[in-house]
Amino acid sequence: MDALGWDSCDIILVTGDAYVDHPSFGMAVIGRMLESQGFRVGIIAQPDWQSAEPFKALGEPNLFFGITAGNMDSLINAYTADLRLRTDDAYTPGGMAGKRPDRAVIVYSQRCREAYYNTPIVIGGIEASLRRIAQYDYWSDKVRKSVLIDSNADILLYGNAERALVEVAHQLAAGHSISEMTRIRGTAILLDSVPEGWTEIDSTRIDWPSKIDAMPNPYEYKDPESQSCATDSSSEKDAAPVDPQAATPIRIIPMPLHRKSDLDKDRTYIRLPSYNKVKNDPALYAHASRVLHQESNPHNAKVLVQKHDTKEIWVNEPPIPLETDEMDGVFDLPYQRRPHPSYGDAKIPAYDMIKTSVNIMRGCFGGCTFCSITEHEGRIIQSRSEESILKEVEKIRDQVPGFTGTISDLGGPTANMYRLNCKSEKIQKNCRRLSCVYPTICQHLETDHKHTTQLYRKARMIPGIKRVAIASGLRYDLALRDPEYVEELVTHHVGGYLKIAPEHSEENTLSKMMKPSISSYDDFKEMFDKFSKKAGKVQYLIPYFIAAHPGTENSDMLSLGLWLKKNKFKPDQVQTFYPSPMALATAMYHSGRNPLKKVTYKSEKVSIVRQIEQRRIQKAFLRYHDEKNWPLLRQALKDMGREDMIGDGPHQLVPAEKKSARHGTPPRRPGGKPAAGRSAGKFDSRKARNRP
Ligand code: SF4
């Protein structure tokens, strides 16, 4: 601060990540954006959270503290899908774990409050964003309150928050109080009561009777006598003039009737079931999750309200996506493109991974239920201009120390959604589909990849660029619509292997994931092989799969294991489902119901694998070739009544137990107890022991 000649900061940002001045790191984007608006921004990265002192390092900010856990949710960062503590942290110098607290947004907010009680606190980033309403928390196995309550922050910004943050900063700088900022898109706030004059769509229940009469307005007094002469025009003439200052009551409409009602969209909110209700009723939780996802299109979403004890969480409509020139503005800010010099030579793994890659877009219209990108970045694709992207490639070439000529990725949440959007703005504004590509690719979706193809070609032509790899996930069902793109990709941008993510082979699971059928994979493989051959290259697809996803039975995993074996895949890295906050699949996991369809108490039940041992069994099917898994799989197959799958035949999954092995340790049953009486041997092993 002294070097800059500042006596104080206007805004102090606190983050759980190391500070890397690069547009792939949220804190750098936010800091540079605020700086470009004329604010003096200080950043406290990975402070020691044991006391408030480190949060006073830059003094009291003139406007507010901005708090984020970092690029990842702090609990996903710290624990594996099986709830084991991770030993590393990709966002910390040296990859060291333990530099941020669990539930970092809450902890940092509390420390900032302790440091300077009256300073406004603004929370944002992925952790706050995905915890904006009551949410199932996998780590404590319970539904938690909105993070706004637990953090005691003043306002929560969700999604990509440039617009909202700049608005909050300018309003505070203009002398407004943070409590006045009640209607900024992309924010959630805490209210004592909902404002008057609004219409409430009551979506707090799922057991409405089949026929509902319009709800009478409790504030409306109808005098039976005056009603009888309601057609008398004199009564209108004599009516008292409307007082515009008078309080207007809230009008309440039951959810099933809202389509029949004439609503002012800008003065209508949806009331979700309260925290206390969703906490105790998983079906209502699934319903609330469904409503939240349906209200995600910024062009037609309504305000959501959820009661938390005596307070109301008021979630304003989602942010309007950035236009291309605004995206360029964000990415063209003067990033140094390297970690803060105070880290010296310590490597920050996440930075090493992305330092030569370029983010070309935001958003995803895939809607995979296990992923939270759509909940955070939205379904509408926000793309940078070709010029801005190519300029960044040149900057990497010129500024990144040790650049070897390879751009490691031109991508984003997916590889191939750049500049693809709904063909009709009008249709898009009315759309409430959760995915543009599931169950089928929407007829209104632009699927011509020409902009991406051109971009690849131009990037390759830049002097000093030897190779451009594509590492972001390919939505291959979409790519199939544009063979020219696939040929370009396969010929120039695949270095022998292309990772893709069918995630499963069985419809039972794929339908809960909102992923395309495995036949799309087969079609893509055919195209991939054809173009690889044409290019004179021997290349392979590396498919990724998830075990234990909601809806997956052991029989589905067996089918997937057999599919892998038939296709000669022996996956090394496999995943089990990780219930991340706010994802639709997490709502399935918690409730055992399917929020992709209307939720009722009688609606479809989804099979869920919760116990660690059961999750391990499902994971073992993906690594059927690993000898260590064979005892577990044999036992699981026996329990499923599928002993026919044990043997050395090409259609069997695991080899039979060798006779000599039967005298060893008996296999563990799923419950963890030895399988007594099965392979424990036919003799008394105690006789083999030495006598004391
Ligand atoms: S109409 Fe189709 S392409 Fe357009 S936003 Fe909706 S699902 Fe996507």
Side-chain angles (χ1 to χ4, degrees), residues 379 421-423 427-428 431 433 435-436 442-445:
R379 192 157 48 88
N421 258 319
C422 197
K423 287 177 197 159
I427 293 174
Q428 185 179 50
C431 180
R433 269 179 65 159
S435 166
C436 300
C442 176
Q443 56 170 325
H444 300 296
L445 183 68

Side-chain angles (χ1 to χ4, degrees), residues 365-369 431-443 445 475 477-478 481 507 510-520 596-597:
F365 50 68
C368 302
T369 59
C431 180
R432 280 177 191 275
R433 269 179 65 159
L434 298 177
S435 166
C436 300
V437 286
Y438 185 87
T440 54
I441 295 178
C442 176
Q443 56 170 325
L445 183 68
R475 188 76 202 199
D477 51 337
L478 187 61
R481 293 288 179 100
E507 215 41 53
L510 291 169
S511 64
K512 309 298 181 305
M513 294 175 162
M514 290 216 291
K515 289 292 275 185
S517 112
I518 197 72
S519 64
S520 299
L596 299 178
K597 299 177 182 164

Side-chain angles (χ1 to χ4, degrees), residues 191-408:
L191 298 175
D192 290 332
S193 60
V194 290
E196 290 168 339
W198 283 68
T199 301
E200 172 177 304
I201 297 175
D202 178 6
S203 191
T204 56
R205 47 191 289 198
I206 52 178
D207 54 353
W208 298 100
S210 53
K211 181 176 180 312
I212 302 170
D213 294 328
M215 194 172 273
N217 184 341
Y219 299 95
E220 189 179 25
Y221 174 70
K222 285 185 182 159
D223 180 348
E225 284 178 26
S226 66
Q227 265 187 318
S228 64
C229 52
T231 51
D232 180 356
S233 58
S234 65
S235 64
E236 277 174 34
K237 279 184 223 146
D238 297 341
V242 175
D243 175 4
Q245 301 298 319
T248 329
I250 297 161
R251 182 179 160 217
I252 300 175
I253 297 178
M255 186 65 165
L257 292 182
H258 82 280
R259 286 190 208 288
K260 294 180 194 155
S261 311
D262 184 20
L263 300 174
D264 173 359
K265 179 179 140 322
D266 297 328
R267 304 283 286 174
T268 301
Y269 66 83
I270 297 179
R271 177 169 290 285
L272 299 172
S274 68
Y275 160 70
N276 279 320
K277 289 272 189 208
V278 297
K279 181 179 71 164
N280 298 318
D281 185 336
L284 270 183
Y285 180 87
H287 164 72
S289 175
R290 177 175 166 80
V291 175
L292 178 111
H293 285 82
Q294 284 180 325
E295 298 300 322
S296 61
N297 180 346
H299 299 300
N300 61 30
K302 296 185 185 65
V303 169
L304 298 174
V305 174
Q306 186 174 48
K307 197 172 250 318
H308 280 57
D309 302 325
T310 58
K311 298 278 189 180
E312 305 276 15
I313 296 285
W314 175 278
V315 183
N316 282 304
E317 302 91 329
I320 297 291
L322 298 187
E323 300 291 340
T324 295
D325 58 337
E326 292 172 311
M327 283 286 284
D328 288 354
V330 169
F331 282 87
D332 293 347
L333 291 167
Y335 305 98
Q336 295 297 301
R337 315 192 69 81
R338 63 191 70 188
H340 193 274
S342 64
Y343 303 132
D345 293 334
K347 297 250 180 251
I348 299 176
Y351 167 69
D352 282 346
M353 200 184 296
I354 54 82
K355 66 185 177 188
T356 57
S357 73
V358 184
N359 193 339
I360 63 175
M361 46 155 282
R362 285 179 181 169
C364 178
F365 50 68
C368 302
T369 59
F370 50 83
C371 172
S372 304
I373 282 184
T374 311
E375 287 83 336
H376 186 63
E377 296 199 357
R379 192 157 48 88
I380 296 174
I381 303 301
Q382 305 162 68
S383 301
R384 297 169 65 185
S385 71
E386 194 180 273
E387 195 192 350
S388 163
I389 295 166
L390 296 176
K391 234 167 55 191
E392 187 171 341
V393 172
E394 288 172 358
K395 273 191 205 158
I396 290 173
R397 178 196 62 193
D398 300 339
Q399 293 180 8
V400 174
F403 179 64
T404 59
T406 297
I407 294 293
S408 56

Side-chain angles (χ1 to χ4, degrees), residues 531-686:
F531 288 131
S532 291
K533 196 170 167 200
K534 190 172 165 193
K537 296 166 96 176
V538 180
Q539 305 193 120
Y540 303 93
L541 289 178
I542 307 288
Y544 276 63
F545 298 94
I546 298 181
H549 190 277
T552 313
E553 310 267 2
N554 282 359
S555 55
D556 298 314
M557 292 308 299
L558 168 60
S559 301
L560 175 53
L562 292 170
W563 185 92
L564 289 168
K565 189 172 180 193
K566 188 176 103 195
N567 288 282
K568 300 189 174 53
F569 286 122
K570 294 181 176 175
D572 279 336
Q573 293 175 348
V574 294
Q575 307 177 54
T576 30
F577 169 64
Y578 202 153
S580 56
M582 209 173 266
L584 275 162
T586 303
M588 285 181 210
Y589 175 86
H590 171 58
S591 67
R593 287 187 164 74
N594 185 359
L596 299 178
K597 299 177 182 164
K598 187 171 180 227
V599 180
T600 68
Y601 288 114
K602 292 182 186 151
S603 61
E604 176 194 8
K605 293 267 176 23
V606 179
S607 85
I608 305 294
V609 173
R610 287 181 216 280
Q611 290 173 342
I612 291 285
E613 198 60 39
Q614 284 298 323
R615 285 163 66 86
R616 285 204 187 117
I617 289 172
Q618 290 217 350
K619 195 172 173 185
F621 277 104
L622 295 177
R623 288 188 45 81
Y624 65 92
H625 51 285
D626 183 345
E627 226 173 296
K628 288 203 282 297
N629 288 331
W630 291 349
L632 191 64
L633 286 172
R634 283 189 200 112
Q635 188 58 53
L637 289 167
K638 283 177 192 167
D639 291 345
M640 290 160 67
R642 295 304 308 267
E643 285 173 86
D644 58 313
M645 289 292 112
I646 303 172
D648 297 325
H651 303 299
Q652 291 172 307
L653 191 68
V654 286
E657 196 178 4
K658 300 282 176 278
K659 275 191 181 155
S660 56
R662 288 206 191 116
H663 302 300
T665 312
R668 310 289 293 181
R669 290 173 66 77
K673 291 183 184 150
R678 281 176 205 243
S679 48
K682 288 181 182 157
F683 58 90
D684 185 352
S685 62
R686 285 170 297 179

